[in-house]
Amino acid sequence: MEQINVAEETEKSAEGAAVKTIDRAARLLTALARDGDQGTMLSDLARRTGLGKGTVHRLLGALSDVGYVTQDAASRRYRLGVGLELLSGTARHGRVAALASPLLERIASITADTAFASVQDGLAAVCVGREVGSFPIRTLSLDVGNRRPLGVGSGSLALLAFLPDADIDRIIAGNQRWLAEYPGFGPGELSAMIAETRRYGFSFNDGRVVQGMNAVGVPVLDMKKRPIAALSVAAIAERLRGDRIAEVAALLQQEAAELAALLRAGTMEAGQRTETPAAASVQDRAGVRQARRKV
């Protein structure tokens, strides 16, 4: 007579229950996503998902514990929580890093200096990509995963400068303590740097973060002209000054347009270039030719 492995059957039963719970949780999250910020009542969620109110209540409690769902105390409505936003942000960051990688390689090859890709994460700029050029003296001021307050560093400043004014004010106010760790990046100094970056269409860091190292950054803009990433190049000060600042900026603007096109592929024709801010101002700033050649 065939013996039944009780432990194995119990494990299979537990796995089946876990899968069923995940399926139900996914249905709840999908239903919540329909209503966005206005939120959804528990009874409506039960109706939409076909689950009992007791089941929905238990699942919402578990999802709330991990930050995937939040409930408004006044309206009693449920909506998606910040935990899911963090997961979504991680996925977006990974996509930017993957698409930017060959562009960073090209930038580093052309300039022989270090190229970076950065994205916004709340009040911070996060480095999501780095390629080192062939020049013997390397500028490794950031590792992948490093965070700085928005506005500190060329890529970080490029991200901050092209946000709406209200967002900029909120970010600078929220980063006051953090910015105190970086001399020369107070609200007044940042406002001046933002104005200059907007005027010329690219940021320039003249040794403010690391003495003897300069850097240039440009934003990657979405269809609404909001920054979704930034590309930058850092080098020792002797290599990144004068006319070469504008030449490197022009190269970065071309690559930023390419990255923007890649990021929106699927909703628009792949490969179509998007506008980068004040592209003509590169020549206005230094009076140099477009940088399609080696810089």
Side-chain angles (χ1 to χ4, degrees):
M1 187 174 179
E2 185 179 356
Q3 291 185 342
I4 298 176
N5 189 323
V6 177
E8 183 177 335
E9 290 299 321
T10 301
E11 183 178 349
K12 287 181 179 180
S13 177
E15 288 178 356
V19 170
K20 188 175 183 180
T21 299
I22 292 171
D23 176 74
R24 289 174 169 178
R27 286 156 61 187
L28 270 181
L29 293 173
T30 301
L32 280 169
R34 292 182 186 176
D35 292 331
D37 289 340
Q38 73 178 14
T40 313
M41 298 298 291
L42 186 148
S43 57
D44 292 330
L45 288 170
R47 177 177 52 79
R48 290 181 186 177
T49 59
L51 301 173
K53 289 183 180 181
T55 299
V56 170
H57 186 265
R58 287 192 297 273
L59 287 172
L60 288 172
L63 291 169
S64 296
D65 288 342
V66 294
Y68 291 174
V69 169
T70 185
Q71 185 184 30
D72 183 87
S75 68
R76 309 301 296 169
R77 289 177 174 270
Y78 292 88
R79 59 177 60 87
L80 297 180
V82 70
L84 279 182
E85 293 180 9
L86 293 175
L87 286 180
S88 175
T90 300
R92 288 195 302 270
H93 297 174
R95 184 165 182 249
V96 170
L99 293 175
S101 181
L103 306 184
L104 295 178
E105 290 180 6
R106 186 160 61 203
I107 294 167
S109 175
I110 291 172
T111 64
D113 295 311
T114 306
F116 300 91
S118 304
V119 297
Q120 180 184 356
D121 185 15
L123 302 178
V126 183
C127 177
V128 296
R130 184 183 77 179
E131 287 294 335
V132 179
S134 60
F135 190 73
I137 303 177
R138 299 180 174 183
T139 49
L140 307 179
S141 57
L142 282 174
D143 290 324
V144 173
N146 284 173
R147 301 164 65 87
R148 284 180 180 163
L150 280 166
V152 175
S154 58
S156 181
L157 179 57
L159 286 168
L160 179 65
F162 294 95
L163 289 170
D165 289 343
D167 288 356
I168 291 174
D169 292 342
R170 175 182 56 79
I171 288 166
I172 292 176
N175 273 339
Q176 280 189 357
R177 290 187 179 179
W178 198 3
L179 288 170
E181 301 175 15
Y182 297 87
F185 286 91
E189 292 96 333
L190 273 177
S191 294
M193 286 185 270
I194 288 167
E196 183 179 68
T197 300
R198 286 179 167 181
R199 177 183 175 190
Y200 295 116
F202 61 90
S203 61
F204 178 60
N205 170 28
D206 55 348
R208 285 177 177 265
V209 180
V210 179
Q211 188 174 4
M213 189 202 78
N214 291 351
V216 178
V218 303
V220 179
L221 302 180
D222 64 15
M223 296 300 293
K224 295 181 179 179
K225 306 288 183 68
R226 289 182 62 97
I228 48 178
L231 301 178
S232 57
V233 165
I236 58 173
E238 290 77 6
R239 283 181 54 77
L240 196 50
R241 60 186 179 184
D243 289 354
R244 192 168 187 259
I245 295 172
E247 293 175 349
V248 171
L251 172 65
L252 287 171
Q253 286 178 332
Q254 293 170 13
E255 299 299 338
E258 181 68 20
L259 180 55
L262 292 170
L263 287 168
R264 71 169 183 263
T267 57
M268 293 185 63
E269 182 180 355
Q272 179 181 346
R273 291 184 179 270
T274 192
E275 182 179 352
T276 51
S281 67
V282 174
Q283 292 190 357
D284 176 63
R285 185 170 191 172
V288 296
R289 58 190 175 278
Q290 291 290 329
R292 284 190 177 276
R293 57 179 176 74
K294 279 202 171 188
V295 294

